[in-house]
């Protein structure tokens, strides 16, 4: 239940409390209850989606510190605007949209502050492929898989910002095209076009030119 | 259906076809996804070193802050001292100038006095020493001042 629903449900109670001597106190109590419910609800959303938002930002920025910072900013922004969230899309889509905008802002600012060099925990592409779970594969298969992941990473690195976002949302976060369209603010046709171009680059990198 | 719609439709169909994944690409993307998941989980659960880094950063900032504060205090004091010194020098110069002015005035007054004394002496000497031939006339002047 969102804070808006709670407020609607509490309307009759509030109307009756206006005539009571202790009405003001009751109003404060109902507001406090609504705020408590909203806080609990938001807390549940954070717990549920934090790792996914962090993963998207990490795969997108390839910088652990930056991903953590942007994740925190994302939830801070979400918390500030939680009351305005009307549930038209899923909470995940809404959060993803905030994350994408924050990421865009970051890159825009970074371009402006090109002189600023900071020491970060940025991980090179090949290092990301070291995290491939071994499973029950032979050493040779693992090596081949690692090589393929490295190639995909390299291709992803060469994508434009928008193509990369769409690609990661589709093939890492496994979101539907409609969800991606809502999160990015693009229409489905544009999302498909970006995905198609991104896949073409990945195919080229993997050596499967078609 | 006009040409534009037909073109958009055919482009969308082509994009759809390109989005269909062949098994090899599908496997590569699956592996990529797994590696991102594993990397993200590891990064998410890693021990945080931010506190140590930030404390070192804070220590650096503190040191720079203290250094700047010292420079500020020294410059304020030295600036004050310099201003005071300049003021003192200006006062001394004014005092010396006043003293010199007074001495010059005194000297001028002394010279004027000496001149006046000399003129008075000359005047009295001149008036006393009347030539002998003029004495009767001088006596007449003494008797009748109105002449």
């Amino acid at each position: 239940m969102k804070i808006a629903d709670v407020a609607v449900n509490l309307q009759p109670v509030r109307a009756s409390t206006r005539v009571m001597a202790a009405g003001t106190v009751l109003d404060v109590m109902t507001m406090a209850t609504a705020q408590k419910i909203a806080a609990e609800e938001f807390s549940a959303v954070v717990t549920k989606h934090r790792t996914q938002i962090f993963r998207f930002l990490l795969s997108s920025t390839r910088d652990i510190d930056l991903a953590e910072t942007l994740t925190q900013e994302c939830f801070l922004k979400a918390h500030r605007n939680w009351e305005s969230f009307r549930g038209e899309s899923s909470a995940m889509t809404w959060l993803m949209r905030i994350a994408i905008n924050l990421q865009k802002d970051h890159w825009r600012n970074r371009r402006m502050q090109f002189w600023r060099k900071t020491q970060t925990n940025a991980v090179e592409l090949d290092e990301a492929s070291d995290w491939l779970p071994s499973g029950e594969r032979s050493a040779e298969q693992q090596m081949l898989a690692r090589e393929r992941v490295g190639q995909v990473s390299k291709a992803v690195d060469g994508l434009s910002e928008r193509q990369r976002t769409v690609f990661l949302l589709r093939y890492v976060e496994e979101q539907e095209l409609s969800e991606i369209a809502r999160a990015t603010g693009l229409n489905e046709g544009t999302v498909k076009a970006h995905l198609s171009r991104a896949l073409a680059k990945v195919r080229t990198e993997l050596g499967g030119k078609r | 259906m006009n040409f534009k719609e037909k073109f958009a439709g055919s482009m969308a169909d082509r994009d759809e076809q390109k989005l269909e994944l062949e098994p090899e690409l599908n496997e590569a993307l699956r592996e990529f996804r797994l590696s991102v998941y594993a990397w993200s989980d590891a990064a998410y659960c890693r021990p945080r070193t931010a506190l140590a880094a930030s404390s070192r950063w804070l220590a650096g900032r503190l040191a720079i802050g203290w250094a700047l504060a010292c420079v500020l205090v020294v410059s304020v004091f030295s600036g004050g001292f310099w201003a005071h010194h300049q003021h003192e020098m200006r006062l001394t110069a004014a005092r010396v100038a006043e003293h010199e002015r007074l001495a010059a005035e005194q000297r001028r007054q002394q010279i004027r006095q000496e001149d006046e004394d000399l003129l008075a002496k000359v005047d009295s000497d001149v008036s006393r020493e009347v030539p002998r031939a003029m004495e009767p006339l001088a006596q007449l002047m003494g008797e009748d001042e109105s002449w």
Side-chain angles (χ1 to χ4, degrees), chain A residues 5 10 14 20 24 43 51 54 63 78 131 181 183 186 190-192:
Chain A
D5 299 334
L10 292 172
R14 268 201 214 152
M20 291 168 66
T24 317
S43 178
T51 49
F54 174 72
D63 185 334
W131 290 101
L186 303 169
T190 314
V191 170
K192 276 181 196 171

Side-chain angles (χ1 to χ4, degrees), chain B residues 6-18:
Chain B
K6 270 185 192 170
F7 181 73
S10 68
M11 287 299 285
D13 288 346
R14 199 183 298 173
D15 285 339
E16 287 275 12
Q17 282 168 8
K18 282 185 183 171

Side-chain angles (χ1 to χ4, degrees), chain B residues 85-96:
Chain B
H85 181 66
Q86 288 290 313
H87 183 65
E88 283 291 312
M89 277 182 66
R90 271 199 300 275
L91 278 180
T92 309
R95 239 178 266 138
V96 166

Side-chain angles (χ1 to χ4, degrees), chain A residues 5 15 25 27 29 33 54 59 74 93 106 111 120 150 154 156 158:
Chain A
D5 299 334
V25 178
D27 261 355
M29 280 174 70
T33 313
F54 174 72
S59 59
C74 176
T93 307
H106 170 77
R111 273 198 288 274
T120 63
K154 197 177 166 190
V156 170

Side-chain angles (χ1 to χ4, degrees), chain A:
Chain A
M1 186 186 283
K2 284 186 287 302
I3 192 164
D5 299 334
V6 172
V8 168
N9 291 338
L10 292 172
Q11 281 300 324
V13 180
R14 268 201 214 152
S16 62
T17 55
R18 278 196 196 112
V19 292
M20 291 168 66
T24 317
V25 178
L26 207 59
D27 261 355
V28 171
M29 280 174 70
T30 52
M31 278 309 290
T33 313
Q35 279 172 357
K36 197 181 166 192
I37 289 167
E40 281 170 5
E41 211 176 63
F42 185 75
S43 178
V45 167
V46 173
T47 310
K48 192 176 173 190
H49 300 300
R50 191 168 46 190
T51 49
Q52 203 174 344
I53 294 291
F54 174 72
R55 185 171 58 228
F56 167 73
L57 289 167
L58 178 64
S59 59
S60 195
T61 61
R62 297 207 169 93
D63 185 334
I64 296 171
D65 288 340
L66 178 60
E68 277 180 353
T69 307
L70 291 179
T71 306
Q72 280 185 13
E73 276 182 41
C74 176
F75 283 104
L76 188 67
K77 212 167 178 181
H79 182 257
R80 281 183 190 147
N81 297 297
W82 183 237
E83 284 182 36
S84 65
F85 174 60
R86 307 211 173 274
E88 286 158 359
S89 59
S90 70
M92 182 62 214
T93 307
W94 184 64
L95 288 170
M96 199 56 92
R97 187 161 193 157
I98 296 173
I100 290 166
N101 286 333
L102 281 172
Q103 193 197 331
K104 266 191 220 166
D105 289 346
H106 170 77
W107 291 121
R108 202 175 298 141
N109 292 338
R110 191 169 164 157
R111 273 198 288 274
M112 295 288 282
Q113 298 170 358
F114 61 94
W115 48 269
R116 192 176 161 193
K117 285 187 175 179
T118 51
Q119 198 178 4
T120 63
N121 284 340
V123 178
E124 289 301 316
L125 295 175
D126 294 337
E127 285 181 44
S129 62
D130 290 344
W131 290 101
L132 186 65
S134 56
E136 292 178 353
R137 288 181 286 194
S138 67
E140 193 186 348
Q141 282 173 326
Q142 279 181 42
M143 205 181 72
L144 284 170
R146 198 171 289 175
E147 198 179 324
R148 275 197 297 272
V149 169
Q151 285 169 332
V152 175
S153 296
K154 197 177 166 190
V156 170
D157 192 46
L159 299 177
S160 71
E161 196 183 312
R162 199 168 276 185
Q163 284 174 358
R164 191 186 308 134
T165 301
V166 169
F167 180 87
L168 292 172
L169 288 176
R170 180 76 186 105
Y171 297 111
V172 176
E173 300 306 328
E174 297 180 284
Q175 289 194 355
E176 294 299 322
L177 292 177
S178 55
E179 275 181 298
I180 298 172
R182 272 199 295 273
T184 53
L186 303 169
N187 62 47
E188 275 192 45
T190 314
V191 170
K192 276 181 196 171
H194 281 308
L195 269 181
S196 155
R197 280 174 213 147
L199 277 178
K201 285 181 186 169
V202 174
R203 280 193 184 101
T204 308
E205 191 60 44
L206 286 170
K209 292 178 187 174
R210 276 154 226 272

Side-chain angles (χ1 to χ4, degrees), chain B residues 66-133:
Chain B
W66 272 108
L68 284 174
C70 287
V71 167
L72 189 71
V73 167
V74 166
S75 56
V76 162
F77 276 107
S78 62
F81 178 74
W82 185 78
H84 179 71
H85 181 66
Q86 288 290 313
H87 183 65
E88 283 291 312
M89 277 182 66
R90 271 199 300 275
L91 278 180
T92 309
R95 239 178 266 138
V96 166
E98 179 67 18
H99 182 72
E100 280 175 358
R101 195 184 63 78
L102 284 174
E105 182 70 23
Q106 212 169 2
R107 220 166 23 248
R108 269 200 303 278
Q109 219 155 15
Q110 198 178 349
I111 289 166
R112 206 182 300 139
Q113 188 65 42
E114 278 174 8
D115 287 351
E116 278 175 10
D117 288 350
L118 184 65
L119 281 173
K121 189 171 178 288
V122 168
D123 192 36
S124 65
D125 287 354
V126 166
S127 61
R128 224 181 295 142
E129 288 176 17
V130 178
R132 202 173 287 266

Side-chain angles (χ1 to χ4, degrees), chain B residues 17-31:
Chain B
Q17 282 168 8
K18 282 185 183 171
L19 293 182
E20 284 169 15
L21 304 176
E22 51 276 18
E24 195 188 323
L25 181 60
N26 200 16
E27 181 61 18
L29 291 177
R30 197 185 68 85
E31 283 162 351

